């Protein structure tokens, strides 16, 4: 019995050993493969809606506000100015808060205009009492307070206007601020037993109003409430939100968001302002991109700021995450921008020059045909020649009708330096025509796919297989479009390429050959053997992947 118990215990221990062996998770034979090495287009991202992005931005604002003990309004402006780099804001704020606030245009740089002394009005004016508050600039906290504290006028027996961060309500004087270049007139008299008031002249509408209707920024340029509101409406109407500045000339201090929302009375205008500010915040955030799809509110987020393809889950729009334009691998963002600009500027000019100009066969100067007659005379050397065949017009005679035949130019090796411009144009047209050709081929192959879908639907209805049986045809058509799209964007890359061009053109030619073979088989997919079609798909995809691995710039 003791032996049996011993055997049972031994067997139990042995089972645990095997269980530990299989569940240890330490298998040296299996290597974790990095998908970035196998797939050059591998990209990790997420699609967010507006509410999720607002929560993300508010968390950053709250975190910075808590760490630096500043208002959320100020934290939002600082993050927006530094492209939402919290670490940079904290470091610069602790090193020199005043410089940070000045560079962010929250605080005025220096008093460029000396303050005007207040003008005392006669005792018959409206009674008022003047108050002054001084701001000491000592350290980070004092610098932040100078830019964000609320200035109010304390009047016995009267209610004060609401405090607005970054602004001053009423006419106040500070030891570090400068008044406007325009005259800000004030009056102060005291009447026993009566409330104390103060008046001020608005330099925009030139009206004298009570100081509780005035608001000033940290630069202490004060304007009346109605002028501020009109200024905000004009700026918002022009699409400006986070860059609204002080109305004073030569003053670029930002208007805080709190002041704008306080003085905007129309709900529609407030909503538009908040939409504009949200768009500015998203555009300044390096990890966020708006989906370029029409009427799509999705926002893409990724920590990998690379020229990779992001696909919106809502509208299925594909675009380059780095620059926001159409996906353009293997061409990088700068080159595709130059190429598209060149196409927009030069294509019509190139087509016109190609169709309407030729080189004089004698002096090789570029000539434009400005009439219907084919008898041309060079304005430079006065040589008479035929426009069609470039032959001497005097010796033309009965050979005129030979002009319709294509002939190689025998003088092509003796072209002068004046033909360099046309040679550059010929190079551009070579790549542009192939770029356009593959773009049109993509459209035609989409029509082929639509016809294929119709025919397969008819076969399924007749009982000749199911959709699963014909799914490989749609996979082949999808891969064909993917490969041809990549091939289209190899031509801008080759046009600007300087090094490793022979290897690139070899891989480009190999990819193009396999794509045409795949296209041939897809167009005849119903009679093509499935194994042969899938084999061609594998070859084409490997050619495409190899080219992208060697030439696609994936670094951020």
């Amino acid at each position: 019995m003791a032996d049996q118990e011993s055997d049972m215990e031994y067997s139990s221990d042995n089972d645990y050993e095997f269980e530990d062996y299989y569940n240890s998770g330490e298998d040296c034979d299996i290597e974790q493969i990095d998908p970035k090495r196998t797939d050059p287009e591998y990209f990790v991202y997420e699609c967010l809606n507006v509410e999720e992005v607002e929560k993300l931005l508010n968390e950053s604002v709250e975190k910075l506000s808590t760490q630096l003990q500043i208002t959320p309004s100020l934290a939002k402006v600082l993050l927006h100015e530094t492209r939402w780099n919290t670490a940079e804001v904290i470091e610069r704020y602790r090193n020199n808060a005043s410089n940070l606030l000045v560079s962010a245009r929250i605080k005025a740089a220096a008093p460029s205009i000396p303050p005007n002394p207040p003008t005392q009005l006669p005792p018959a004016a409206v009674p008022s009492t003047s108050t002054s508050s001084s701001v000491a600039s000592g350290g980070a906290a004092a610098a932040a307070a100078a830019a964000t504290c609320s200035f109010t006028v304390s009047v016995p027996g009267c209610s004060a206007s609401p405090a607005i961060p970054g602004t001053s309500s009423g006419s106040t004087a500070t030891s570090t601020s400068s008044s406007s270049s325009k005259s800000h007139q004030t009056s102060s008299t005291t009447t026993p037993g009566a409330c104390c008031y103060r008046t001020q002249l608005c330099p925009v509408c030139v009206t004298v109003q009570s100081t509780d209707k005035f608001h000033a920024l940290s630069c202490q340029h004060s304007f009346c409430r109605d002028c501020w509101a009109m200024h905000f409406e004009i700026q918002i109407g022009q699409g400006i939100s986070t860059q609204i500045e002080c109305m004073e000339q030569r003053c670029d201090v930002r208007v805080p968001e709190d002041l704008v929302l306080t003085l905007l009375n129309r709900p529609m205008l407030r909503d538009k302002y908040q939409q504009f500010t949200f768009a500015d915040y998203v555009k300044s955030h390096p990890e966020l991109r708006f989906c370029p799809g029409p009427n799509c509110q999705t926002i893409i987020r990724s920590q990998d700021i690379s020229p990779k393809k992001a696909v919106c889950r809502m509208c299925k729009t594909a675009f380059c995450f780095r620059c926001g334009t159409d996906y353009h691998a293997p061409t990088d963002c700068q080159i595709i921008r130059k190429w598209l600009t060149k196409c927009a500027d030069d294509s019509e000019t190139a087509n016109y020059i190609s169709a309407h100009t030729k080189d004089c066969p004698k002096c090789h100067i570029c000539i434009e045909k400005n009439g219907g007659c084919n008898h041309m005379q060079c304005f430079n050397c006065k040589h008479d020649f035929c426009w069609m065949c470039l032959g001497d017009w005097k010796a033309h005679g009965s050979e005129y009708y030979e002009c319709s035949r294509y002939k190689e130019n025998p003088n092509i090796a003796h072209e002068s330096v004046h033909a360099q411009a046309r040679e550059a144009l010929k190079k551009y047209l070579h790549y542009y025509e192939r770029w356009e050709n593959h773009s049109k081929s993509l459209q035609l192959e989409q029509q082929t796919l639509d016809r294929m879908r119709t025919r397969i639907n008819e076969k399924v209805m007749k009982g000749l297989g199911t959709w699963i049986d014909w799914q490989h045809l749609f996979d082949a058509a999808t891969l064909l479009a993917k490969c041809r799209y990549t091939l289209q964007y190899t031509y801008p890359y080759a046009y600007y390429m300087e090094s490793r061009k022979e290897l690139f053109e070899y891989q480009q030619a190999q990819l193009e050959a396999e794509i045409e073979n795949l296209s041939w088989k897809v167009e005849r997919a119903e009679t093509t053997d499935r194994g042969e079609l899938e084999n061609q798909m594998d070859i084409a995809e490997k050619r495409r992947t190899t080219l992208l691995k060697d030439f696609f710039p994936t670094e951020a």
Side-chain angles (χ1 to χ4, degrees):
M1 187 66 180
D3 294 341
Q4 292 179 357
E5 291 177 356
S6 176
D7 293 341
M8 291 178 63
E9 292 174 358
Y10 176 78
S11 176
S12 176
D13 293 341
N14 196 27
D15 291 341
Y16 281 123
E17 289 178 1
F18 283 111
E19 183 178 358
D20 293 339
Y21 174 79
Y22 286 111
N23 294 332
S24 63
E26 299 178 358
D27 194 348
C28 298
D29 296 334
I30 301 177
E31 182 182 358
Q32 297 294 331
I33 301 176
D34 186 3
K36 293 184 178 180
R37 296 182 178 179
T38 58
D39 184 5
E41 296 179 300
Y42 179 77
F43 187 52
V44 179
Y45 63 93
E46 58 180 336
C47 299
L48 307 176
N49 55 34
V50 174
E51 290 75 16
E52 293 172 333
V53 174
E54 287 179 345
K55 181 180 178 181
L56 176 68
L57 298 179
N58 288 332
E59 288 176 354
S60 300
V61 171
E62 183 178 356
K63 178 182 177 181
L64 182 64
S65 177
T66 303
Q67 289 186 357
L68 298 182
Q69 296 297 314
I70 58 178
T71 62
S73 177
L74 175 59
K76 190 181 297 184
V77 175
L78 294 176
L79 287 171
H80 174 60
E81 184 68 17
T82 57
R83 295 182 60 81
W84 298 85
N85 191 335
T86 305
E88 179 183 352
V89 174
I90 294 175
E91 181 181 1
R92 293 177 60 185
Y93 189 88
R94 289 175 176 172
N95 291 338
N96 194 326
S98 180
N99 287 347
L100 176 60
L101 297 176
V102 170
S103 64
R105 293 185 290 134
I106 301 170
K107 176 184 175 183
S112 57
I113 303 173
N116 294 328
T119 303
Q120 298 293 335
L121 297 182
V126 182
S128 65
T129 299
S130 61
T131 2
S132 64
S133 61
S134 60
V135 179
S137 56
T148 62
C149 67
S150 303
F151 297 90
T152 59
V153 179
S154 177
V155 181
C158 298
S159 60
S161 58
I164 301 172
T167 66
S168 64
S169 176
S171 176
T172 58
T174 63
S175 60
T176 60
S177 64
S178 62
S179 63
S180 173
S181 59
K182 301 175 180 63
S183 175
H184 290 194
Q185 298 178 351
T186 59
S187 65
S188 61
T189 58
T190 304
T191 303
C195 286
C196 300
Y197 292 97
R198 203 176 188 188
T199 59
Q200 186 173 343
L201 175 67
C202 176
V204 175
C205 61
V206 198
T207 58
V208 177
Q209 303 181 40
S210 175
T211 54
D212 60 356
K213 295 182 179 180
F214 281 78
H215 295 277
L217 305 180
S218 61
C219 57
Q220 295 304 302
H221 295 142
S222 182
F223 304 93
C224 72
R225 184 177 303 173
D226 294 337
C227 291
W228 277 120
M230 181 61 66
H231 176 61
F232 297 155
E233 291 185 14
I234 295 174
Q235 295 292 301
I236 296 172
Q238 297 176 354
I240 303 173
S241 57
T242 57
Q243 300 298 324
I244 298 179
E245 299 177 350
C246 175
M247 287 190 288
E248 180 68 25
Q249 294 181 0
R250 301 183 303 277
C251 181
D252 60 353
V253 174
R254 295 175 189 259
V255 177
E257 184 176 339
D258 295 344
L259 177 61
V260 178
L261 294 176
T262 300
L263 299 184
L264 288 178
N265 298 323
R266 297 162 53 189
M268 184 180 299
L269 204 59
R270 290 168 58 94
D271 294 341
K272 183 181 292 187
Y273 172 76
Q274 290 177 330
Q275 291 175 4
F276 288 161
T277 54
F278 176 75
D280 285 349
Y281 295 148
V282 171
K283 292 176 182 178
S284 66
H285 201 298
E287 297 180 2
L288 300 177
R289 293 289 184 276
F290 277 111
C291 171
N295 301 322
C296 184
Q297 298 296 323
T298 305
I299 300 169
I300 315 297
R301 183 194 181 194
S302 177
Q303 296 181 352
D304 183 12
I305 311 172
S306 301
K308 300 291 188 68
K309 180 170 68 174
V311 182
C312 177
R313 69 183 179 188
M314 298 299 295
C315 65
K316 307 303 179 184
T317 300
F319 63 99
C320 171
F321 181 78
R322 178 187 285 179
C323 64
T325 59
D326 292 339
Y327 184 56
H328 45 73
T331 309
D332 62 31
C333 301
Q334 294 181 352
I335 289 180
I336 195 61
R337 192 179 298 113
K338 289 170 58 178
W339 172 258
L340 294 176
T341 303
K342 184 175 184 62
C343 290
D345 295 342
D346 294 352
S347 293
E348 290 303 321
T349 304
N351 293 335
Y352 182 85
I353 293 176
S354 177
H356 297 85
T357 67
K358 291 183 180 180
D359 286 345
C360 172
K362 186 175 181 181
C363 68
H364 306 289
I365 195 170
C366 186
I367 297 176
E368 178 185 6
K369 184 181 180 183
N370 58 3
C373 181
N374 289 319
H375 179 192
M376 302 294 295
Q377 185 183 62
C378 176
F379 73 93
N380 184 46
C381 65
K382 309 302 179 183
H383 175 64
D384 292 287
F385 63 96
C386 173
W387 176 259
M388 300 297 293
C389 68
L390 300 180
D392 192 341
W393 186 260
K394 296 179 181 179
H396 219 54
S398 60
E399 296 181 358
Y400 177 80
Y401 294 100
E402 294 287 329
C403 298
S404 58
R405 298 181 181 180
Y406 176 75
K407 297 179 181 180
E408 294 288 344
N409 184 6
N411 300 320
I412 188 66
H414 305 287
E415 293 289 342
S416 65
V417 292
H418 298 284
Q420 292 182 358
R422 290 179 63 86
E423 187 63 28
L425 175 62
K426 185 186 297 184
K427 175 186 175 182
Y428 165 70
L429 288 177
H430 172 84
Y431 292 105
Y432 177 77
E433 288 170 357
R434 285 153 181 77
W435 155 275
E436 276 294 309
N437 177 63
H438 286 293
S439 178
K440 294 177 181 177
S441 296
L442 282 171
Q443 299 175 5
L444 295 175
E445 286 166 355
Q446 180 61 39
Q447 298 176 6
T448 302
L449 178 61
D450 295 337
R451 291 194 299 267
M452 183 192 304
R453 184 179 289 107
T454 302
R455 291 197 302 269
I456 292 177
N457 190 31
E458 294 175 354
K459 291 179 180 293
V460 172
M461 296 301 294
K462 293 178 181 179
L464 303 176
T466 64
W467 278 102
I468 298 178
D469 298 329
W470 301 102
Q471 183 63 38
H472 66 284
L473 301 183
F474 295 104
D475 295 339
T478 302
L479 179 64
L480 175 60
K482 185 178 181 180
C483 292
R484 192 176 291 281
Y485 188 88
T486 300
L487 180 61
Q488 177 188 357
Y489 280 92
T490 61
Y491 290 102
Y493 189 94
Y495 178 78
Y496 291 100
M497 194 174 190
E498 296 180 357
S499 61
R500 302 176 64 197
K501 194 166 187 177
E502 292 184 0
L503 176 61
F504 180 81
E505 289 180 342
Y506 171 78
Q507 294 190 9
Q508 184 187 45
Q510 293 293 318
L511 175 60
E512 187 164 8
E514 300 303 338
I515 286 176
E516 296 306 327
N517 291 336
L518 180 60
S519 178
W520 176 271
K521 289 179 171 58
V522 168
E523 291 178 358
R524 295 155 183 79
E526 298 174 34
T527 59
T528 303
D529 181 68
R530 178 172 180 175
E532 183 181 355
L533 181 61
E534 291 180 345
N535 181 57
Q536 186 61 43
M537 291 169 58
D538 183 65
I539 295 174
E541 176 61 15
K542 285 183 178 178
R543 295 290 188 188
R544 191 186 76 90
T545 304
T546 301
L547 187 145
L548 291 178
K549 282 182 178 179
D550 292 342
F551 296 98
F552 185 32
T554 58
E555 292 80 7

